[in-house]
Coordinates of all heavy atoms in Angstrom, one line a residue:
M74 N 0.8 -1.2 0.0 CA 0.0 0.0 0.0 C 0.9 1.3 0.0 O 0.3 2.3 0.0 CB -0.9 0.0 1.2 CG -1.9 -1.1 1.2 SD -2.8 -1.0 -0.3 CE -4.4 -1.1 0.1
K75 N 2.2 1.1 0.1 CA 3.0 2.3 0.1 C 3.5 2.7 -1.3 O 4.6 3.2 -1.4 CB 4.2 2.0 1.0 CG 3.9 1.7 2.4 CD 5.1 1.4 3.3 CE 4.7 1.1 4.7 NZ 5.8 0.7 5.5
G76 N 2.7 2.4 -2.3 CA 3.1 2.8 -3.6 C 3.8 1.7 -4.4 O 4.1 1.8 -5.6
N77 N 4.1 0.6 -3.7 CA 4.7 -0.6 -4.4 C 3.5 -1.4 -5.0 O 2.8 -2.1 -4.2 CB 5.5 -1.4 -3.4 CG 6.7 -0.7 -2.9 OD1 7.2 0.2 -3.5 ND2 7.1 -1.1 -1.7
V78 N 3.4 -1.3 -6.2 CA 2.3 -2.0 -6.9 C 2.9 -3.1 -7.8 O 3.6 -2.8 -8.7 CB 1.4 -1.1 -7.7 CG1 0.3 -1.9 -8.4 CG2 0.8 0.0 -6.8
N79 N 2.6 -4.3 -7.5 CA 3.0 -5.4 -8.3 C 2.0 -5.6 -9.4 O 0.8 -5.8 -9.1 CB 3.2 -6.7 -7.5 CG 4.3 -6.6 -6.5 OD1 5.3 -5.9 -6.8 ND2 4.2 -7.3 -5.4
T80 N 2.4 -5.5 -10.6 CA 1.4 -5.7 -11.7 C 1.6 -7.0 -12.4 O 2.7 -7.5 -12.5 CB 1.5 -4.6 -12.7 OG1 2.9 -4.6 -13.2 CG2 1.3 -3.2 -12.1
L81 N 0.5 -7.6 -12.7 CA 0.5 -8.9 -13.4 C 0.3 -8.6 -14.9 O -0.5 -7.7 -15.2 CB -0.5 -9.8 -12.9 CG -0.4 -10.3 -11.4 CD1 -1.6 -11.1 -11.0 CD2 0.9 -11.1 -11.2
S82 N 0.9 -9.4 -15.7 CA 0.6 -9.2 -17.1 C 0.3 -10.6 -17.7 O 0.9 -11.6 -17.3 CB 1.8 -8.6 -17.9 OG 2.9 -9.4 -17.8
G83 N -0.7 -10.7 -18.6 CA -1.1 -11.9 -19.2 C -0.2 -12.3 -20.3 O 0.4 -11.4 -21.0
K84 N -0.1 -13.6 -20.6 CA 0.7 -14.1 -21.7 C -0.2 -14.2 -22.9 O -1.2 -14.8 -22.9 CB 1.3 -15.4 -21.4 CG 2.2 -16.0 -22.4 CD 2.8 -17.3 -22.0 CE 3.6 -17.9 -23.1 NZ 4.2 -19.2 -22.8
L85 N 0.3 -13.6 -24.0 CA -0.5 -13.6 -25.3 C 0.0 -14.8 -26.1 O 1.2 -14.9 -26.4 CB -0.3 -12.4 -26.1 CG -0.8 -11.1 -25.5 CD1 -0.6 -9.9 -26.3 CD2 -2.3 -11.2 -25.2
T86 N -0.9 -15.7 -26.4 CA -0.5 -16.9 -27.2 C -1.1 -16.8 -28.6 O -0.9 -17.6 -29.5 CB -1.1 -18.2 -26.6 OG1 -2.5 -18.1 -26.4 CG2 -0.4 -18.5 -25.3
N87 N -1.9 -15.7 -28.8 CA -2.5 -15.4 -30.1 C -2.7 -13.9 -30.3 O -3.0 -13.2 -29.3 CB -3.9 -16.1 -30.2 CG -4.5 -16.1 -31.6 OD1 -4.3 -15.1 -32.3 ND2 -5.2 -17.1 -32.0
E88 N -2.4 -13.4 -31.5 CA -2.5 -12.0 -31.6 C -3.9 -11.4 -31.5 O -4.1 -10.2 -31.3 CB -2.0 -11.6 -33.0 CG -2.8 -12.0 -34.2 CD -2.4 -13.4 -34.7 OE1 -1.5 -14.1 -34.1 OE2 -3.1 -13.9 -35.6
K89 N -4.9 -12.3 -31.5 CA -6.3 -11.9 -31.3 C -6.7 -11.8 -29.8 O -7.8 -11.3 -29.5 CB -7.3 -12.8 -32.0 CG -7.1 -12.7 -33.5 CD -8.1 -13.6 -34.2 CE -7.9 -13.5 -35.7 NZ -8.9 -14.4 -36.5
H90 N -5.9 -12.2 -28.9 CA -6.2 -12.1 -27.5 C -6.1 -10.7 -27.0 O -5.3 -9.9 -27.5 CB -5.2 -13.0 -26.7 CG -5.4 -14.4 -26.9 ND1 -4.4 -15.3 -26.4 CD2 -6.3 -15.2 -27.4 CE1 -4.8 -16.6 -26.7 NE2 -6.0 -16.5 -27.3
I91 N -6.9 -10.4 -26.0 CA -6.9 -9.0 -25.5 C -5.8 -9.0 -24.4 O -5.8 -9.8 -23.5 CB -8.3 -8.7 -24.8 CG1 -9.3 -8.7 -25.9 CG2 -8.2 -7.3 -24.1 CD1 -10.7 -8.5 -25.4
P92 N -4.8 -8.1 -24.5 CA -3.8 -8.1 -23.5 C -4.2 -7.7 -22.1 O -5.2 -6.9 -22.0 CB -2.8 -7.0 -24.1 CG -3.6 -6.2 -25.1 CD -4.7 -7.1 -25.5
I93 N -3.6 -8.2 -21.1 CA -4.0 -8.0 -19.7 C -2.7 -7.5 -19.0 O -1.6 -8.0 -19.2 CB -4.5 -9.2 -19.0 CG1 -5.7 -9.8 -19.7 CG2 -4.8 -9.0 -17.6 CD1 -6.1 -11.1 -19.2
G94 N -2.8 -6.4 -18.3 CA -1.7 -5.9 -17.5 C -1.4 -4.4 -17.8 O -2.2 -3.7 -18.4
P95 N -0.1 -4.0 -17.5 CA 0.2 -2.6 -17.7 C 0.2 -2.1 -19.1 O 0.0 -1.0 -19.4 CB 1.6 -2.5 -17.1 CG 2.1 -3.9 -17.0 CD 0.9 -4.8 -17.0
S96 N 0.5 -3.0 -20.0 CA 0.5 -2.6 -21.4 C -0.9 -2.8 -22.1 O -1.0 -3.0 -23.3 CB 1.5 -3.4 -22.2 OG 1.2 -4.7 -22.2
M97 N -1.9 -2.8 -21.3 CA -3.3 -3.2 -21.8 C -3.8 -2.1 -22.7 O -3.8 -0.9 -22.4 CB -4.2 -3.3 -20.6 CG -5.6 -3.8 -21.0 SD -6.4 -4.2 -19.5 CE -8.1 -3.7 -19.9
K98 N -4.2 -2.4 -23.9 CA -4.8 -1.5 -24.8 C -6.3 -1.9 -25.0 O -6.6 -3.1 -25.2 CB -4.1 -1.6 -26.2 CG -2.7 -1.2 -26.2 CD -2.1 -1.4 -27.6 CE -0.6 -1.2 -27.6 NZ 0.0 -1.5 -28.9
I99 N -7.1 -0.9 -24.9 CA -8.5 -1.2 -25.0 C -8.9 -1.4 -26.5 O -8.6 -0.5 -27.3 CB -9.4 -0.1 -24.4 CG1 -9.1 0.1 -22.9 CG2 -10.9 -0.3 -24.6 CD1 -9.7 1.2 -22.2
P100 N -9.5 -2.5 -26.8 CA -9.8 -2.8 -28.2 C -10.9 -1.8 -28.7 O -11.8 -1.4 -27.9 CB -10.3 -4.2 -28.2 CG -10.7 -4.6 -26.9 CD -9.9 -3.7 -26.0
T101 N -10.8 -1.5 -30.0 CA -11.8 -0.6 -30.5 C -12.8 -1.4 -31.3 O -12.5 -2.5 -31.9 CB -11.2 0.4 -31.4 OG1 -10.5 -0.2 -32.5 CG2 -10.2 1.3 -30.7
A102 N -14.0 -0.9 -31.4 CA -15.1 -1.6 -32.1 C -15.0 -1.3 -33.6 O -14.5 -0.2 -34.0 CB -16.5 -1.2 -31.6
Q103 N -15.3 -2.2 -34.4 CA -15.2 -2.0 -35.9 C -16.6 -2.4 -36.5 O -17.1 -3.5 -36.1 CB -14.2 -2.9 -36.5 CG -12.8 -2.5 -36.1 CD -11.7 -3.5 -36.8 OE1 -12.1 -4.5 -37.3 NE2 -10.5 -3.1 -36.6
I104 N -17.1 -1.6 -37.3 CA -18.4 -1.8 -37.9 C -18.2 -2.3 -39.3 O -17.4 -1.7 -40.1 CB -19.3 -0.6 -37.9 CG1 -19.6 -0.1 -36.5 CG2 -20.6 -0.8 -38.7 CD1 -20.3 1.2 -36.4
S105 N -18.8 -3.4 -39.6 CA -18.6 -4.0 -41.0 C -20.0 -4.2 -41.6 O -21.0 -4.5 -40.9 CB -17.9 -5.3 -41.0 OG -18.6 -6.3 -40.2
T106 N -20.1 -3.9 -42.9 CA -21.3 -4.1 -43.6 C -21.2 -5.2 -44.6 O -20.2 -5.2 -45.4 CB -21.7 -2.8 -44.3 OG1 -21.8 -1.7 -43.3 CG2 -23.1 -2.9 -45.0
D107 N -22.2 -6.1 -44.7 CA -22.2 -7.2 -45.6 C -23.0 -6.8 -46.8 O -24.2 -6.7 -46.7 CB -22.7 -8.4 -45.0 CG -22.7 -9.6 -45.9 OD1 -22.1 -9.5 -47.0 OD2 -23.3 -10.7 -45.5
N108 N -22.3 -6.5 -47.9 CA -23.0 -6.0 -49.1 C -23.3 -7.2 -50.1 O -23.8 -7.0 -51.2 CB -22.2 -5.0 -49.8 CG -22.1 -3.7 -49.0 OD1 -23.1 -3.3 -48.3 ND2 -21.0 -3.1 -49.0
N109 N -22.9 -8.4 -49.7 CA -23.1 -9.6 -50.6 C -24.5 -10.2 -50.5 O -24.8 -11.1 -51.3 CB -22.0 -10.6 -50.3 CG -20.6 -10.1 -50.6 OD1 -20.5 -9.2 -51.5 ND2 -19.7 -10.5 -49.9
T110 N -25.2 -9.9 -49.5 CA -26.5 -10.5 -49.3 C -27.6 -9.6 -49.8 O -27.4 -8.3 -49.9 CB -26.8 -10.9 -47.8 OG1 -26.6 -9.7 -47.0 CG2 -25.8 -11.9 -47.4
T111 N -28.8 -10.1 -50.0 CA -29.9 -9.3 -50.5 C -30.6 -8.6 -49.4 O -30.8 -9.2 -48.3 CB -30.9 -10.2 -51.3 OG1 -31.4 -11.2 -50.4 CG2 -30.3 -10.8 -52.5
M112 N -31.1 -7.4 -49.6 CA -31.8 -6.7 -48.6 C -33.3 -6.8 -48.9 O -33.7 -6.9 -50.1 CB -31.5 -5.2 -48.7 CG -30.1 -4.9 -48.3 SD -29.9 -4.9 -46.6 CE -28.3 -4.2 -46.4
S113 N -34.1 -6.8 -47.8 CA -35.5 -6.9 -48.0 C -36.0 -5.4 -48.0 O -35.3 -4.5 -47.9 CB -36.2 -7.7 -46.9 OG -35.9 -7.2 -45.7
N114 N -37.3 -5.2 -48.0 CA -37.9 -3.9 -48.0 C -37.6 -3.1 -46.8 O -37.6 -1.9 -46.8 CB -39.4 -4.0 -48.2 CG -39.8 -4.5 -49.6 OD1 -39.0 -4.3 -50.5 ND2 -41.0 -5.0 -49.7
N115 N -37.3 -3.7 -45.7 CA -37.0 -3.0 -44.5 C -35.5 -2.8 -44.2 O -35.1 -2.5 -43.1 CB -37.6 -3.7 -43.3 CG -37.1 -5.1 -43.1 OD1 -36.2 -5.5 -43.8 ND2 -37.5 -5.8 -42.0
D116 N -34.7 -2.9 -45.3 CA -33.2 -2.7 -45.2 C -32.6 -3.7 -44.3 O -31.6 -3.4 -43.6 CB -32.9 -1.3 -44.8 CG -33.2 -0.3 -45.9 OD1 -33.2 -0.7 -47.1 OD2 -33.4 0.9 -45.6
N117 N -33.1 -4.9 -44.2 CA -32.6 -5.9 -43.3 C -32.3 -7.1 -44.1 O -33.1 -7.5 -44.9 CB -33.6 -6.2 -42.2 CG -33.1 -7.1 -41.1 OD1 -32.0 -7.6 -41.2 ND2 -33.9 -7.2 -40.0
N118 N -31.1 -7.7 -43.9 CA -30.7 -8.9 -44.7 C -30.9 -10.2 -43.9 O -30.3 -11.2 -44.3 CB -29.3 -8.7 -45.3 CG -28.3 -8.6 -44.2 OD1 -28.6 -8.4 -43.0 ND2 -27.0 -8.7 -44.6
V119 N -31.6 -10.2 -42.8 CA -31.8 -11.4 -42.0 C -32.9 -12.2 -42.6 O -34.0 -11.7 -42.9 CB -32.1 -11.1 -40.6 CG1 -32.4 -12.3 -39.7 CG2 -31.0 -10.3 -39.9
D120 N -32.7 -13.5 -42.9 CA -33.7 -14.4 -43.4 C -34.4 -15.1 -42.2 O -33.7 -16.0 -41.6 CB -33.0 -15.4 -44.4 CG -34.1 -16.3 -45.0 OD1 -35.3 -16.1 -44.8 OD2 -33.6 -17.2 -45.8
V121 N -35.6 -14.7 -41.9 CA -36.3 -15.2 -40.8 C -36.5 -16.7 -40.9 O -36.3 -17.5 -39.9 CB -37.6 -14.5 -40.5 CG1 -38.4 -15.1 -39.4 CG2 -37.4 -13.0 -40.3
D122 N -36.8 -17.2 -42.0 CA -37.1 -18.7 -42.2 C -35.8 -19.5 -41.9 O -35.8 -20.5 -41.3 CB -37.6 -19.0 -43.6 CG -39.0 -18.4 -43.8 OD1 -39.7 -18.3 -42.9 OD2 -39.3 -18.0 -45.0
K123 N -34.7 -19.0 -42.4 CA -33.4 -19.7 -42.2 C -33.0 -19.6 -40.7 O -32.6 -20.6 -40.1 CB -32.3 -19.0 -43.0 CG -30.9 -19.6 -42.8 CD -29.9 -19.0 -43.6 CE -28.5 -19.6 -43.4 NZ -27.4 -18.9 -44.0
E124 N -33.2 -18.5 -40.1 CA -32.9 -18.4 -38.6 C -33.8 -19.3 -37.8 O -33.3 -19.9 -36.8 CB -33.1 -16.9 -38.2 CG -32.1 -16.0 -38.8 CD -30.6 -16.3 -38.4 OE1 -30.4 -16.7 -37.3 OE2 -29.8 -16.1 -39.3
M125 N -35.1 -19.4 -38.2 CA -36.0 -20.3 -37.4 C -35.6 -21.8 -37.6 O -35.7 -22.6 -36.7 CB -37.4 -20.0 -37.9 CG -38.0 -18.7 -37.4 SD -37.9 -18.4 -35.7 CE -39.2 -19.4 -35.1
S126 N -35.2 -22.1 -38.9 CA -34.8 -23.5 -39.1 C -33.5 -23.8 -38.3 O -33.3 -24.9 -37.8 CB -34.6 -23.8 -40.6 OG -33.5 -23.1 -41.1
L127 N -32.6 -22.9 -38.2 CA -31.4 -23.1 -37.4 C -31.7 -23.2 -35.9 O -31.1 -24.0 -35.2 CB -30.4 -21.9 -37.7 CG -29.7 -21.9 -39.0 CD1 -28.9 -20.6 -39.2 CD2 -28.9 -23.1 -39.2
L128 N -32.7 -22.4 -35.5 CA -33.1 -22.5 -34.1 C -33.7 -23.8 -33.8 O -33.5 -24.4 -32.8 CB -34.1 -21.4 -33.8 CG -34.8 -21.3 -32.4 CD1 -33.7 -21.0 -31.4 CD2 -35.9 -20.3 -32.4
A129 N -34.6 -24.4 -34.7 CA -35.2 -25.7 -34.5 C -34.1 -26.8 -34.5 O -34.2 -27.7 -33.7 CB -36.2 -25.9 -35.7
E130 N -33.1 -26.7 -35.4 CA -32.0 -27.6 -35.4 C -31.3 -27.6 -34.1 O -30.9 -28.7 -33.6 CB -31.1 -27.3 -36.6 CG -29.9 -28.3 -36.7 CD -28.9 -27.9 -37.7 OE1 -29.1 -26.8 -38.4 OE2 -28.0 -28.7 -37.9
N131 N -31.0 -26.4 -33.6 CA -30.3 -26.3 -32.3 C -31.1 -26.9 -31.2 O -30.6 -27.6 -30.3 CB -30.0 -24.8 -32.1 CG -29.1 -24.6 -30.9 OD1 -28.2 -25.4 -30.6 ND2 -29.3 -23.5 -30.1
Q132 N -32.4 -26.7 -31.2 CA -33.3 -27.3 -30.2 C -33.3 -28.8 -30.2 O -33.2 -29.5 -29.2 CB -34.7 -26.7 -30.3 CG -35.6 -27.1 -29.2 CD -35.3 -26.6 -27.9 OE1 -34.9 -25.4 -27.8 NE2 -35.3 -27.4 -26.8
L133 N -33.3 -29.3 -31.4 CA -33.3 -30.8 -31.6 C -32.0 -31.4 -31.1 O -32.0 -32.4 -30.4 CB -33.6 -31.2 -33.0 CG -35.0 -31.0 -33.5 CD1 -35.0 -31.2 -35.0 CD2 -36.0 -31.9 -32.8
R134 N -30.9 -30.7 -31.4 CA -29.6 -31.2 -31.0 C -29.5 -31.1 -29.4 O -29.0 -32.1 -28.8 CB -28.5 -30.4 -31.6 CG -28.2 -30.6 -33.0 CD -27.1 -29.7 -33.5 NE -26.9 -29.8 -34.9 CZ -26.1 -30.6 -35.6 NH1 -25.3 -31.4 -34.9 NH2 -26.0 -30.6 -36.9
Y135 N -30.0 -30.0 -28.9 CA -30.0 -29.9 -27.4 C -30.8 -31.0 -26.7 O -30.3 -31.6 -25.8 CB -30.5 -28.5 -27.0 CG -30.7 -28.3 -25.5 CD1 -29.6 -28.0 -24.7 CD2 -31.9 -28.4 -24.9 CE1 -29.7 -27.9 -23.4 CE2 -32.1 -28.3 -23.6 CZ -31.0 -28.0 -22.8 OH -31.2 -27.8 -21.5
N136 N -32.0 -31.3 -27.3 CA -32.8 -32.3 -26.7 C -32.1 -33.7 -26.8 O -32.2 -34.5 -25.8 CB -34.2 -32.3 -27.4 CG -35.0 -31.1 -27.0 OD1 -34.8 -30.5 -26.0 ND2 -36.0 -30.9 -27.8
A137 N -31.5 -34.0 -27.9 CA -30.8 -35.2 -28.1 C -29.6 -35.4 -27.1 O -29.4 -36.4 -26.5 CB -30.3 -35.4 -29.5
Y138 N -28.9 -34.3 -26.9 CA -27.7 -34.3 -25.9 C -28.2 -34.5 -24.5 O -27.6 -35.3 -23.7 CB -26.9 -33.0 -26.0 CG -26.2 -32.9 -27.3 CD1 -26.0 -31.6 -27.9 CD2 -25.7 -33.9 -28.1 CE1 -25.3 -31.4 -29.1 CE2 -25.0 -33.8 -29.3 CZ -24.9 -32.5 -29.8 OH -24.2 -32.3 -31.0
I139 N -29.3 -33.8 -24.1 CA -29.8 -33.9 -22.8 C -30.3 -35.4 -22.6 O -30.1 -36.0 -21.5 CB -31.0 -32.9 -22.6 CG1 -30.4 -31.5 -22.5 CG2 -31.7 -33.2 -21.3 CD1 -29.4 -31.3 -21.4
Q140 N -31.0 -35.9 -23.6 CA -31.5 -37.3 -23.4 C -30.3 -38.3 -23.3 O -30.4 -39.2 -22.5 CB -32.3 -37.7 -24.7 CG -33.1 -39.0 -24.5 CD -34.0 -39.2 -25.7 OE1 -33.9 -38.5 -26.7 NE2 -34.8 -40.2 -25.6
Q141 N -29.3 -38.1 -24.0 CA -28.1 -38.9 -23.9 C -27.4 -38.8 -22.5 O -27.1 -39.8 -21.9 CB -27.1 -38.6 -25.0 CG -25.9 -39.5 -25.0 CD -25.0 -39.2 -26.2 OE1 -25.1 -38.2 -26.8 NE2 -24.0 -40.0 -26.4
V142 N -27.3 -37.6 -22.0 CA -26.7 -37.4 -20.7 C -27.6 -38.1 -19.6 O -27.1 -38.7 -18.7 CB -26.5 -35.9 -20.4 CG1 -26.2 -35.7 -18.9 CG2 -25.4 -35.4 -21.3
N143 N -28.9 -37.9 -19.7 CA -29.8 -38.5 -18.8 C -29.7 -40.0 -18.8 O -29.8 -40.7 -17.7 CB -31.3 -38.1 -19.0 CG -31.5 -36.7 -18.6 OD1 -30.8 -36.1 -17.7 ND2 -32.5 -36.0 -19.2
E144 N -29.6 -40.6 -19.9 CA -29.4 -42.1 -20.0 C -28.1 -42.5 -19.4 O -28.1 -43.6 -18.7 CB -29.5 -42.6 -21.5 CG -30.9 -42.5 -22.1 CD -31.9 -43.4 -21.4 OE1 -31.5 -44.5 -21.0 OE2 -33.0 -43.0 -21.2
Q145 N -27.0 -41.8 -19.6 CA -25.8 -42.1 -18.9 C -25.9 -42.0 -17.4 O -25.3 -42.9 -16.7 CB -24.6 -41.3 -19.5 CG -24.3 -41.6 -20.9 CD -23.2 -40.6 -21.5 OE1 -22.8 -39.7 -20.8 NE2 -22.7 -40.9 -22.7
I146 N -26.5 -41.0 -16.9 CA -26.7 -40.9 -15.5 C -27.5 -42.0 -14.9 O -27.3 -42.6 -13.9 CB -27.3 -39.5 -15.2 CG1 -26.3 -38.4 -15.5 CG2 -27.8 -39.4 -13.7 CD1 -26.9 -37.0 -15.4
K147 N -28.6 -42.4 -15.7 CA -29.4 -43.5 -15.3 C -28.6 -44.8 -15.2 O -28.8 -45.5 -14.2 CB -30.6 -43.6 -16.3 CG -31.6 -44.7 -16.0 CD -32.7 -44.6 -17.1 CE -33.6 -45.8 -17.0 NZ -34.6 -45.8 -18.1
M148 N -27.7 -45.0 -16.2 CA -26.9 -46.2 -16.2 C -25.9 -46.2 -15.0 O -25.7 -47.2 -14.3 CB -26.2 -46.4 -17.5 CG -27.1 -46.8 -18.6 SD -26.4 -47.1 -20.2 CE -24.7 -46.7 -20.2
M149 N -25.4 -45.0 -14.6 CA -24.5 -44.9 -13.5 C -25.2 -45.2 -12.2 O -24.7 -45.8 -11.3 CB -23.8 -43.6 -13.5 CG -22.7 -43.4 -14.5 SD -21.8 -41.9 -14.2 CE -22.5 -40.9 -15.4
R150 N -26.4 -44.7 -12.1 CA -27.2 -45.0 -10.9 C -27.5 -46.5 -10.7 O -27.5 -47.0 -9.6 CB -28.5 -44.2 -10.9 CG -28.4 -42.8 -10.6 CD -29.8 -42.1 -10.5 NE -29.6 -40.7 -10.2 CZ -30.5 -39.8 -10.4 NH1 -31.6 -40.1 -11.0 NH2 -30.3 -38.5 -10.1
I151 N -27.9 -47.1 -11.8 CA -28.2 -48.5 -11.8 C -26.9 -49.3 -11.4 O -27.0 -50.2 -10.5 CB -28.7 -49.0 -13.2 CG1 -30.1 -48.5 -13.4 CG2 -28.7 -50.5 -13.2 CD1 -30.6 -48.7 -14.8
A152 N -25.8 -48.9 -11.9 CA -24.5 -49.6 -11.5 C -24.2 -49.3 -10.1 O -23.7 -50.3 -9.4 CB -23.4 -49.1 -12.5
A153 N -24.4 -48.1 -9.6 CA -24.0 -47.8 -8.2 C -25.0 -48.5 -7.2 O -24.6 -48.9 -6.1 CB -24.1 -46.3 -8.0
E154 N -26.2 -48.6 -7.6 CA -27.2 -49.3 -6.7 C -27.2 -50.8 -6.7 O -27.7 -51.5 -5.9 CB -28.6 -48.7 -7.0 CG -28.8 -47.3 -6.6 CD -30.1 -46.7 -7.1 OE1 -30.9 -47.5 -7.7 OE2 -30.4 -45.5 -6.9
G155 N -26.6 -51.3 -7.8 CA -26.5 -52.8 -7.9 C -27.7 -53.5 -8.3 O -28.0 -54.6 -7.9
R156 N -28.6 -52.8 -9.1 CA -29.8 -53.5 -9.5 C -29.7 -54.1 -10.8 O -29.2 -53.7 -11.8 CB -31.0 -52.4 -9.5 CG -31.3 -51.9 -8.2 CD -32.5 -51.0 -8.3 NE -32.6 -50.1 -7.2 CZ -33.6 -49.3 -7.0 NH1 -34.5 -49.2 -7.9 NH2 -33.7 -48.5 -6.0

């Protein structure tokens, strides 16, 4: 507390990492515009149907993973209880 400040610095293993420590530089935001996709009447290039199908696919994958984990837990319980 007498002015002796030990500073820690993070090790950068990739140039995309945010530096930590005394040489810390705050990253700046960059705005990019995708001009390769088509725009709809509302100046928006988001395809709602595609996003909804990706959402449904994600939900199905999540449900399958949860079901698989539950089955593994069930098998461990059976093995631990000796039934």
